[in-house]
Amino acid sequence: MTVQSSPVSSRTDSGTRALRTLRLGVNIDHVATLRNARGGWHPDTLRAAHLAIEGGADGITAHLREDRRHISDQDITRLKNEITRPLNLEMAATDEMLEIALRHVPNACCLVPERREERTTEGGLDVVGSLKLLKPYVAKLKDAGIRVSLFIEPDLKTIEASAQAGADIVELHTGRYCHLALDHDAMGMAREVERHAKAAQAAYLAGLEVHAGHGLTYNTVAPIAKLPEVVELNIGHFLIGEAIFGGLSQAVRRMRVLMDEACLADTRARSAVTTS
Ligand code: PXP
């Protein structure tokens, strides 16, 4: 194992600390959730991806689920062909998903556990228990030039197993930390941040790139963003929800203008008829 120094101690030639950068992957699954509520194309995932990139996203993340409840195969094709930033494809370790990933060759694949009855990805991969199953998937994806990430709980044994599986990256599941925030459990949150800090350090020392995500919001992002080994956050549901609040009054205003213009045109047309 090559032991790397912690990125927090990296310094420039002049002795000052190098500015750390943290990538943001925007998960657009729930744009597709909204679209699928009606069918058709609106709201369009590709348009959402372009807007996310315009807003500063370094990459786009999309989870192609076995039941296709949000992202579709066509979404993946369009995103892969048309976005200007890396695509991170989240998927279960199954033969069907492997075939899709090898066909599209996204920048990265994040292997996640998947159960049909769950509302979202609950908990991380059991890498220790499924090491034998995961290894060939990781190897085939890597052979195709795809970076492989494993979505895991911040647990030291799981990190060790992730390195053994040959993964390039681990994404630490921040769901439990974010649930504690919803419960206003400050002590529990501090404990979870500490667990993530230790896990991030261990993963970095094991030669793994460290990402994190799930459930992050404006209120919970900073303690995770501060962890020096973490180089990427993947955030979705909260951002798509916030986009409603950022954009709803503007959308209503535009509809109001179109309606008022139509009424005015109608009134003018009627008065033209009566005066002629
Ligand atoms: N990372 C992974 C691996 C995920 O499965 C998800 C949810 O699809 C996220 C990040 C983003 O979580 P959220 O939508 O809660 O921000």
Side-chain angles (χ1 to χ4, degrees):
M1 188 205 322
T2 32
V3 176
Q4 307 168 53
S5 64
S6 171
V8 79
S9 64
S10 68
R11 286 171 181 272
T12 62
D13 290 346
S14 61
T16 55
R17 286 200 196 290
L19 180 66
R20 241 189 93 215
T21 56
L22 183 57
R23 296 192 301 267
L24 170 62
V26 173
N27 181 315
I28 56 162
D29 291 353
H30 296 299
V31 176
T33 304
L34 192 55
R35 174 198 60 199
N36 296 355
R38 280 288 173 94
W41 283 98
H42 185 74
D44 179 21
T45 50
L46 184 60
R47 186 174 162 203
H50 285 312
L51 283 173
I53 291 166
E54 204 178 293
D58 300 287
I60 297 297
T61 293
H63 184 174
L64 186 66
R65 278 183 168 267
E66 186 193 10
D67 62 9
R68 309 299 198 267
R69 72 172 71 152
H70 37 58
I71 292 295
S72 67
D73 297 68
Q74 205 174 3
D75 286 323
I76 297 299
T77 305
R78 293 175 75 225
L79 290 167
K80 178 64 183 69
N81 291 340
E82 297 189 44
I83 60 172
T84 53
R85 291 286 155 94
L87 175 66
N88 173 31
L89 173 62
E90 292 177 0
M91 59 181 228
T94 64
D95 289 348
E96 183 203 9
M97 290 299 151
L98 177 66
E99 186 275 317
I100 292 168
L102 295 180
R103 195 152 26 90
H104 290 291
V105 194
N107 177 266
C109 277
C110 180
L111 298 180
V112 301
E114 200 172 297
R115 286 185 296 118
R116 269 183 185 251
E117 63 275 17
E118 70 187 358
R119 258 194 286 181
T120 180
T121 312
E122 290 161 5
L125 276 171
D126 173 16
V127 187
V128 176
S130 38
L131 189 56
K132 258 173 93 174
L133 179 141
L134 288 170
K135 261 186 165 177
Y137 286 100
V138 173
K140 283 175 191 159
L141 291 165
K142 284 178 70 172
D143 283 351
I146 301 168
R147 305 190 74 222
V148 182
S149 170
L150 301 180
F151 191 39
I152 62 165
E153 291 297 321
D155 165 76
L156 300 184
K157 284 207 160 60
T158 309
I159 286 162
E160 212 174 288
S162 301
Q164 286 169 21
D168 301 294
I169 306 160
V170 284
E171 180 166 333
L172 304 178
H173 194 311
T174 51
R176 186 189 297 193
Y177 157 70
C178 292
H179 271 124
L180 291 165
L182 292 177
D183 294 341
H184 306 287
D185 181 349
M187 268 170 49
M189 285 171 73
R191 235 183 1 254
E192 274 304 306
V193 170
E194 190 51 33
R195 210 158 74 93
H196 280 80
K198 288 199 171 110
Q201 216 163 28
Y204 181 80
L205 292 174
L208 293 158
E209 187 172 301
V210 188
H211 300 179
H214 207 282
L216 291 170
T217 66
Y218 294 150
N219 290 334
T220 53
V221 73
I224 300 297
K226 280 181 190 164
L227 301 177
E229 294 83 6
V230 174
V231 298
E232 179 174 311
L233 298 180
N234 283 297
I235 308 179
H237 183 266
F238 176 77
L239 287 175
I240 303 307
E242 274 301 293
I244 294 174
F245 298 116
L248 185 59
S249 76
Q250 195 187 333
V252 170
R253 204 167 295 129
R254 171 104 182 100
M255 187 59 81
R256 188 74 261 166
V257 167
L258 292 171
M259 287 163 54
D260 293 346
E261 281 175 359
C263 282
L264 186 62
D266 177 55
T267 309
R268 283 195 180 132
R270 283 172 195 278
S271 59
V273 170
T274 49
T275 52
S276 63

